[in-house]
Amino acid sequence: MTEPLRVLLADDQTLVRTGFRLILGADGIDVVCEAANGTEAVEGVRRTRPDVVLMDVRMPEMDGLEATRRILAGTSGTPRVIILTTFDLDRYVYAALSAGASGFLLKDVTPELLTAAVRTVRTGDALLAPAITRRLVQRFAGAGHRYSTQRGDDTSALHRDLASLTPRELEVLGLLARGLSNAELAARLHLAETTVKTHVARILAKLGLRDRVQAVIVAYETGLVSAGAGEAAQESAERT
């Protein structure tokens, strides 16, 4: 029998937590802890060991960004973190993604998307909405808005890491950063989707990244993909 999915809710608004708890509970997802600030969230994760954390960004005492960093600092058994925000282009959201969050949701998310998102990140996938995430990364990667990834602020180290990728893996990473799904990557490269998944897994392992979101950030921050390239690729895809 599959273990119930366990979630911690961190938001300083009681009504938001109550609404999300009811939505998740109706879909068989257990809310094992609620937190009104980042400090409570960090302690709650240590105490209840949830599978997924829904984390608000702007909270008193400790914000969601610092809480995310502390929660994901563990070497193993850390939960997946989904950032909750009212703005899709928020520099704090970008910083949280760089720190290891697996994606983000707007607070006006539909019940169906909320439960699907929690289940998606639980399986190890990133919650990557290509159009929004690409705009977010393009806006804040470089240009005075650099935030650390799990490997820190040493961008030369990131460049050395990219040198460990094969030419095909660099190609896959570049297309992934433009928002292509595994199926789209397979079609573009004339590969089986299982082969694409293998390439993506190897890229993440070589770069020491948690998921596709961090891979996108690294691709932009190292200059493998330039701001604007993703827009051009998306427009081209939409015309075909």
Side-chain angles (χ1 to χ4, degrees), residues 157-199:
L158 289 173
H159 282 288
R160 287 197 300 272
D161 284 339
L162 288 190
S164 71
L165 301 182
T166 66
R168 176 63 92 183
E169 289 165 351
L170 284 170
E171 186 178 17
V172 170
L173 177 58
L175 292 173
L176 186 157
R178 291 176 172 90
L180 273 67
S181 65
N182 284 345
E184 291 167 335
L185 282 166
R188 177 74 66 90
L189 299 174
H190 305 289
L191 298 172
E193 193 168 343
T194 53
T195 303
V196 169
K197 290 179 180 178
T198 298
H199 282 309

Side-chain angles (χ1 to χ4, degrees), residues 14 62 65 70 86 102 113 126 135 156 161 186 190 197 201 217-218 234:
T14 304
M62 180 191 297
L65 173 57
R70 296 191 186 191
T86 53
S102 294
L113 183 54
R135 289 195 348 258
S156 64
D161 284 339
H190 305 289
K197 290 179 180 178
I217 290 171
V218 167
Q234 182 69 14

Side-chain angles (χ1 to χ4, degrees), residues 82-101:
I82 298 175
I83 299 299
L84 299 171
T85 180
T86 53
F87 305 100
D88 61 359
L89 291 179
D90 186 318
R91 65 189 178 92
Y92 297 109
V93 175
Y94 175 75
L97 295 179
S98 296

Side-chain angles (χ1 to χ4, degrees), residues 48-126:
T48 63
R49 304 181 69 83
D51 302 304
V52 177
V53 176
L54 289 171
M55 180 77 75
D56 187 22
V57 175
R58 300 173 185 180
M59 296 183 292
E61 295 189 33
M62 180 191 297
D63 64 22
L65 173 57
E66 180 60 26
T68 296
R69 285 175 174 154
R70 296 191 186 191
I71 288 169
L72 297 180
T75 56
S76 63
T78 54
R80 297 282 171 166
V81 176
I82 298 175
I83 299 299
L84 299 171
T85 180
T86 53
F87 305 100
D88 61 359
L89 291 179
D90 186 318
R91 65 189 178 92
Y92 297 109
V93 175
Y94 175 75
L97 295 179
S98 296
S102 294
F104 66 94
L105 291 171
L106 299 181
K107 284 190 177 181
D108 60 358
V109 62
T110 64
E112 295 78 13
L113 183 54
L114 175 65
T115 56
V118 170
R119 295 187 185 282
T120 294
V121 300
R122 177 64 184 91
T123 63
D125 290 332

Side-chain angles (χ1 to χ4, degrees), residues 19-54:
F20 280 9
R21 174 164 42 80
L22 292 173
I23 291 169
L24 294 170
D27 200 53
I29 298 172
D30 291 345
V31 175
V32 296
C33 185
E34 294 186 25
N37 55 60
T39 302
E40 292 180 4
V42 173
E43 176 55 34
V45 167
R46 290 172 180 164
R47 188 175 70 255
T48 63
R49 304 181 69 83
D51 302 304
V52 177
V53 176
L54 289 171

